[in-house]
Amino acid sequence: ITKGITALLLTALLYGTVLYVSFLYGTVRGDLGPVWDDQGYVQQQDLATLAGHARKAVLMGFLPLLAAAFMGLLVSNLTESSGYSVAVALILFVVLDLVTGSSVRTGRYFFNFYPSYAFDILRQYAEGGSVSWNRNIDHARLYLTIPLAYGAVFLTSAYTLFRFKNIST
């Protein structure tokens, strides 16, 4: 349980840091899109609408990374070596995304599909586009259910393996 909570907190901290640094970079560079254009003050969406889209995009981006952290816990319990488990988990993360992303049939990344999709849609909204969220993904709340299912499988497997090893030794 402590490992799970630590993975949750570390994922949130790292994700929040990346979002904050990205926001600062965009603000300093002045390239946040037409919504923030200081020449014409063009705003295509109201603040509440953009904030709602931003919350949704941040949630869509966070859950798959949390599932990846839980996969790291499973690998950690399999290898019983912190350094080795980090290397194996990173390789698994990259390989799963490469294999599933290059699949002709699905074309969806195992972990990175929803984050890249969500932030691309958010960028288009921020630039004043009239794009909408994919109804299939949005209606079935796939951006919640799929990463949560991955995370639950990884976390349950990690806990079961941990308990099995703990009891058998």
Side-chain angles (χ1 to χ4, degrees):
I1 293 172
T2 303
K3 281 184 174 184
I5 292 170
T6 302
L8 173 69
L9 293 176
L10 187 59
T11 302
L13 177 70
L14 293 173
Y15 188 63
T17 301
V18 167
L19 288 176
Y20 182 71
V21 168
S22 298
F23 175 75
L24 284 179
Y25 177 77
T27 303
V28 169
R29 188 170 162 224
D31 191 17
L32 292 175
V35 171
W36 309 103
D37 184 8
D38 62 353
Q39 300 292 324
Y41 297 103
V42 176
Q43 187 164 355
Q44 304 293 335
Q45 306 275 341
D46 63 20
L47 181 61
T49 303
L50 277 177
H53 293 309
R55 278 191 300 276
K56 188 175 191 175
V58 166
L59 178 65
M60 278 187 184
F62 176 72
L63 289 177
L65 298 178
L66 183 61
F70 290 157
M71 180 193 67
L73 288 180
L74 175 60
V75 171
S76 171
N77 287 336
L78 285 169
T79 62
E80 296 180 13
S81 167
S82 297
Y84 185 61
S85 66
V86 169
V88 170
L90 280 172
I91 290 170
L92 273 174
F93 179 83
V94 171
V95 167
L96 282 171
D97 267 4
L98 286 175
V99 169
T100 56
S102 63
S103 167
V104 175
R105 194 172 143 196
T106 63
R108 292 190 176 190
Y109 298 104
F110 192 80
F111 291 111
N112 285 322
F113 174 75
Y114 294 109
S116 58
Y117 162 75
F119 287 110
D120 185 50
I121 294 290
L122 182 62
R123 180 191 54 77
Q124 291 179 41
Y125 272 121
E127 290 176 350
S130 60
V131 68
S132 61
W133 298 96
N134 183 320
R135 289 182 189 261
N136 296 331
I137 292 172
D138 204 32
H139 180 68
R141 299 210 187 271
L142 294 178
Y143 58 91
L144 289 173
T145 55
I146 290 175
L148 286 174
Y150 287 161
V153 166
F154 292 140
L155 195 56
T156 304
S157 300
Y159 180 74
T160 303
L161 183 63
F162 174 76
R163 292 297 299 164
F164 178 74
K165 284 185 172 185
N166 192 21
I167 292 170
S168 65
T169 55

